[in-house]
Amino acid sequence: MSNPYLLELPAVVSFSGGRTSGYMLRKILDAHGGQPDGLVVSFQNTGLEHPGTYDFIERTAKEWGVDIVWLEYDLDEAGKPTHRVVTPATASKNGEPYDRLIGKKKMLSHPRARLCTGNLKIATLESYLATLTAFLDGYTNAVGLRADEPRRSVNML
């Protein structure tokens, strides 16, 4: 039986900074013997994460020797959604990406219009990966789900 954590490259690991996501990342790194070329680990920052999440992401990068790309939702000069690459020092910590999204959509996220995941996480990551030549012809996307998330995420489809 093959190791499910040995990903076909190129691949991206969406790292939320949570325990489940951290567990998945550790297993993927172990399966590959570290972070191989062609494996992007990304954190899409909403600017509203708990301060401990930011600390955990920085510790993970340092202690596990992994390059984590920090991304934020942004708008280009024409007002179209794009991404911004930031660092732990320059990352928004007061909800700025979420505020930009609300300003663009002219509405708040709610159960019938869940703006956060689709825009601040998924579209932001896709915008970034579209700038990487190795990812243009497809890639493996690893996303960790908590035990309660399949029930919650079914409503997003």
Side-chain angles (χ1 to χ4, degrees), residues 2-7 23-29 31-32:
S2 65
N3 184 340
Y5 297 103
L6 191 57
L7 305 178
Y23 176 83
M24 177 186 68
L25 176 58
R26 180 73 263 166
K27 297 293 272 183
I28 291 169
L29 293 172
H32 286 274

Side-chain angles (χ1 to χ4, degrees), residues 54-123:
Y54 296 120
D55 294 341
F56 179 69
I57 294 167
E58 287 189 83
R59 278 190 18 244
T60 297
K62 182 179 180 183
E63 293 174 17
W64 293 356
V66 61
D67 179 30
I68 300 173
V69 179
W70 288 51
L71 301 171
E72 292 183 357
Y73 173 91
D74 202 5
L75 299 171
D76 67 16
E77 291 177 6
K80 294 187 182 211
T82 187
H83 69 279
R84 173 189 324 194
V85 178
V86 297
T87 67
T90 63
S92 301
K93 304 283 175 40
N94 295 303
E96 296 90 333
Y98 190 66
D99 289 344
R100 281 191 287 279
L101 176 62
I102 291 169
K104 173 72 176 170
K105 297 290 186 179
K106 306 285 190 246
M107 64 185 291
L108 295 173
S109 186
H110 56 84
R112 289 196 172 164
R114 297 177 58 122
L115 301 177
C116 184
T117 300
N119 292 277
L120 299 180
K121 303 287 185 174
I122 298 169

